[in-house]
Amino acid sequence: MAAPAPPRPLARTVHSARERPARRRGRTRLELALLLGPSLVLFAGFVLVPIGIAVYYSLYSWNGFGPLTNFVGLQNYADAFGGAVFRGAIGHNVVIAVLSIVIQLPLSIGLALLLDRKLKGRTVLRMVVFAPYVLSEAITAVIWLLMLQPNGFVDELLRGVGLGGLVHQWLADPGLVLYTLFVVMTWKYLGFGIILLLAGLQGVPPELREAAALDGATGWQTTRHVVLPLLGPTIRIWVFLSVIGSLQLFDLVWIMTLGGPANASTTMASYLVDHGFKRYEFGFGSAVAVVLFAICFVFALVYQRFALRRDTAGALTRAVS
Amino acid sequence: MAGRRWGLVAGYAAAVVVVVVTVVPLLFVVLGGFRTNGQLNTDPAGLPGPWVWDNYRSVVTSPDFWRFLGNSALIAVLATALAVGLGSMAAFALSRYAFKGREAVYALFTLGLLFPLGVATLPLYLWLRQLGLLENPLGVAIPEAAFSLPVTIVILRPFMHAVPGELEDAAVLDGASRLGFFWRIMLPLSAPALTTVAVLAFVTSWNAYLLPLLVFNDSAHFTLPLGVATFQSQYSQDTARVLAFTALSMVPALGFFAVAQRRIVGGLTGSVKG
């Protein structure tokens, strides 16, 4: 870049002589508008503006039809937070997020470490493990709905292996339904975590492990002090995706339980759809949407600031050294 | 040495457990489709005996399944074409042009990675109603493309940025305009990244449930995820048939995954590393 510029090619000189700089700048602007314009219009029109409008609607009591006249200020927000159902919904989202980190993450890390060997049939294994992730949540929901029917496949299987005492009303028991849904989520998303972490493990230089082994580190010590820290960026991204996903949980819940029984599995998104589209409370539903958005946004900002920033810094120092 | 052998054994044991847990539900659905409701009731975890083809036959010969499939394909193709077409143009502008506010525009798009579709659905629904796009495949395809734009741009921009400037100079020397360079050189060079983002946009749209749920009331317009969920609640007494229907609905996604596996995994891990 710093090398002295080569003599300008003839074609370009002629070109610029013909087109004066001002005109060229105009042309660049035209090109930019042509290239960026459609995306910006689409993105603003169907992503940004609708979210902005949600903030506006949230200040009204409105059924989605007729003029917006009944301004209620922050009343919708007060109503949402004042209701036990919505507070419960936030709690359910948080429980799912925490369970993901406490159970799914160690499980994926452990399995990825075990599977990160030259096993025969590794390619097939990876494909199989990833399969549930590719199925839509709707199909996943229907599969498990059918398996979890009372006296259905799961119950029969448990009885078959002598664990009949565990048989429960998997989706009808308010104390259990959230955990049942979590198991289904784990089935669907575990492969995603494993594949992500396996990819991360491929980035761990084998020399580092060998050096640790030469220094007399045991396999566990090497894993704990060499491999896991290097997996940090992958783990932090996984946590980010997982929390955002947990906060937005909808399809599985809607198809398997509709948030029931007795709101025991209501999530913010299912609550929002229930009030907005089933009860035509568009103003109130919008307030819920804004709260959901605010929670995701604040989490993303804080996480970006404190967790992901280190990765950028780490990547830089690694690139330099 | 012994440690390494035990590690291998543990690896295989883990592999077996993971595969069994993953595959059993899928097998339950596929094999269940070959059974009768009577068989399913008396022995929910059993194998087909005798094998019954009626459920699959009735699904394959019913127009519903194929219509759902066609609707899903149409919407996913439209959404993918829009997202990749417009996204590659934007990524090109954001990677090869220096202009004021470039990073701000890019940040705006990356912000979109955080927006859950759920948050925008109420106004989006009203907006689509106003545009007359309810009950219209475009009413699903356009918003889905819009929501796929961020990830498309975030993956394509660094890729296009990495293409050496000398190539552009050479193209200009040969008399190409910048847009000519984009069309004739950048796009062909970006083929691997374009395939990745196309696969991601396609899968996202193919699997979407919420937006089709809101936009479509008439079952003639339903997509496959919506169709499966509706079919399940409609025929909840006829479990065998629901199983056959669900099994066949898994085929396109799993088949597509088998073909595009590298792109899907590569896209996800690539975006993580990038």
Side-chain angles (χ1 to χ4, degrees):
Chain A
M1 273 292 147
R8 290 193 140 243
L10 189 64
R12 195 183 257 181
T13 325
V14 171
H15 193 66
S16 52
R18 197 154 16 97
E19 277 183 302
R20 286 205 304 276
R23 241 178 93 189
R24 239 187 24 220
R25 216 175 304 139
R27 188 163 151 187
T28 301
R29 274 205 201 123
L30 189 73
E31 286 178 14
L32 274 175
L34 203 73
L35 290 168
L36 263 180
S39 286
L40 278 175
V41 168
L42 194 68
F43 188 62
F46 291 92
V47 180
L48 294 181
V49 172
I51 290 170
I53 293 180
V55 177
Y56 177 62
Y57 289 159
S58 74
L59 304 173
Y60 289 83
S61 172
W62 188 44
N63 63 5
F65 299 90
L68 267 174
T69 47
N70 198 357
F71 182 82
V72 295
L74 297 178
Q75 191 57 47
N76 286 326
Y77 292 90
D79 288 348
F81 283 110
V85 177
F86 183 60
R87 286 204 307 265
I90 299 180
H92 299 153
N93 283 110
V94 171
V95 167
I96 295 291
V98 170
L99 285 178
S100 308
I101 293 171
V102 175
I103 295 177
Q104 276 176 10
L105 181 61
L107 203 57
S108 337
I109 295 177
L111 287 170
L113 286 172
L114 286 175
L115 297 176
D116 183 42
R117 286 163 219 277
K118 293 197 173 58
L119 303 178
K120 278 182 193 134
R122 196 154 82 152
T123 325
V124 179
L125 175 81
R126 285 179 188 210
M127 279 189 66
V128 170
V129 166
F130 208 58
Y133 182 71
V134 188
L135 296 176
S136 66
E137 293 230 348
I139 288 179
T140 307
V142 170
I143 292 175
W144 283 87
L145 208 51
L146 295 167
M147 291 208 303
L148 291 167
Q149 281 175 349
N151 294 317
F153 180 76
V154 170
D155 291 354
E156 174 86 354
L157 218 56
L158 285 173
R159 290 198 185 100
V161 295
L163 293 171
L166 287 180
V167 167
H168 277 93
Q169 296 268 0
W170 302 107
L171 293 167
D173 179 346
L176 195 67
V177 62
L178 202 58
Y179 303 101
T180 307
L181 289 173
F182 177 73
V183 170
V184 178
M185 272 174 254
T186 305
W187 180 77
K188 177 157 168 51
Y189 290 105
L190 197 66
F192 174 68
I194 292 176
I195 298 286
L196 217 58
L197 289 160
L198 280 174
L201 282 171
Q202 283 180 346
V204 176
E207 305 88 61
L208 280 181
R209 294 192 206 199
E210 283 158 22
L214 276 181
D215 289 344
T218 63
W220 166 245
Q221 282 171 330
T222 312
T223 303
R224 170 74 190 77
H225 297 286
V226 177
V227 178
L228 280 185
L230 287 172
L231 272 183
T234 314
I235 291 174
R236 283 193 283 274
I237 295 278
W238 183 93
V239 168
F240 180 76
L241 295 176
S242 179
V243 171
I244 291 284
S246 304
L247 291 175
Q248 297 169 10
L249 185 62
F250 174 77
D251 299 2
L252 270 184
V253 171
W254 196 251
I255 297 169
M256 292 185 75
T257 67
L258 278 173
N263 291 311
S265 62
T266 302
T267 62
M268 286 188 272
S270 79
Y271 187 78
L272 148 71
V273 171
D274 185 35
H275 281 264
F277 291 96
K278 279 199 143 173
R279 309 186 194 184
Y280 295 105
E281 297 167 356
F282 270 67
F284 182 72
S286 296
V288 171
V290 172
V291 172
L292 168 56
F293 172 66
I295 293 176
C296 290
F297 192 65
V298 168
F299 167 75
L301 280 187
V302 171
Y303 196 78
Q304 202 87 17
R305 175 84 177 69
F306 289 102
L308 293 181
R309 210 178 52 138
R310 270 190 293 161
D311 297 335
T312 341
L316 281 179
T317 49
R318 242 180 289 142
V320 170
S321 62
Chain B
M1 232 38 229
R4 192 168 289 180
R5 240 220 353 254
W6 279 114
L8 214 55
V9 170
Y12 279 113
V16 169
V17 171
V18 169
V19 167
V20 167
V21 170
T22 306
V23 165
V24 162
L26 302 179
L27 278 182
F28 161 73
V29 174
V30 174
L31 293 177
F34 286 109
R35 310 179 74 200
T36 62
N37 285 312
Q39 290 180 28
L40 282 164
N41 285 335
T42 49
D43 180 15
L47 290 170
W51 290 65
V52 180
W53 286 86
D54 284 356
N55 302 308
Y56 282 105
R57 196 175 298 131
S58 83
V59 172
V60 172
T61 54
S62 87
D64 283 350
F65 176 75
W66 299 105
R67 207 168 42 218
F68 298 155
L69 198 72
N71 291 338
S72 278
L74 173 69
I75 290 173
V77 167
L78 282 173
T80 307
L82 265 176
V84 176
L86 302 186
S88 60
M89 283 157 56
F92 181 69
L94 292 169
S95 64
R96 312 296 296 203
Y97 285 72
F99 60 95
K100 229 163 81 184
R102 182 175 76 171
E103 294 313 305
V105 171
Y106 181 65
L108 203 66
F109 279 118
T110 55
L111 218 64
L113 291 174
L114 306 175
F115 291 155
L117 186 62
V119 170
T121 45
L122 290 166
L124 201 54
Y125 171 80
L126 296 169
W127 184 208
L128 292 170
R129 192 173 75 185
Q130 223 162 31
L131 293 172
L133 288 176
L134 294 184
E135 303 295 339
N136 185 331
L138 284 175
V140 173
I142 293 175
E144 267 163 18
F147 275 88
S148 287
L149 271 179
V151 91
T152 305
I153 292 173
V154 165
I155 293 180
L156 285 182
R157 189 200 190 202
F159 195 93
M160 290 185 167
H161 193 76
V163 169
E166 286 81 18
L167 270 179
E168 192 169 348
D169 291 343
V172 170
L173 197 61
D174 289 343
S177 67
R178 238 157 159 192
L179 294 185
F181 166 71
F182 170 64
W183 184 248
R184 281 187 295 191
I185 294 168
M186 186 57 98
L187 281 186
L189 272 181
S190 309
L194 289 174
T195 327
T196 300
V197 292
V199 166
L200 288 181
F202 190 89
V203 170
T204 311
S205 174
W206 182 270
N207 284 341
Y209 173 73
L210 177 57
L211 201 58
L213 174 73
L214 302 178
V215 171
F216 301 133
N217 241 322
D218 180 349
S219 67
H221 300 137
F222 281 8
T223 58
L224 207 49
L226 199 52
V228 172
T230 312
F231 195 87
Q232 191 283 134
S233 55
Q234 221 164 32
Y235 296 95
S236 55
Q237 297 312 310
D238 193 351
T239 308
R241 208 159 132 215
V242 176
L243 284 167
F245 195 98
T246 312
L248 287 171
S249 318
M250 302 190 311
V251 173
L254 293 179
F256 184 71
F257 170 59
V259 176
Q261 185 237 140
R262 260 202 205 140
R263 290 283 152 209
I264 296 177
V265 177
L268 291 167
T269 52
S271 62
V272 166
K273 280 191 213 140

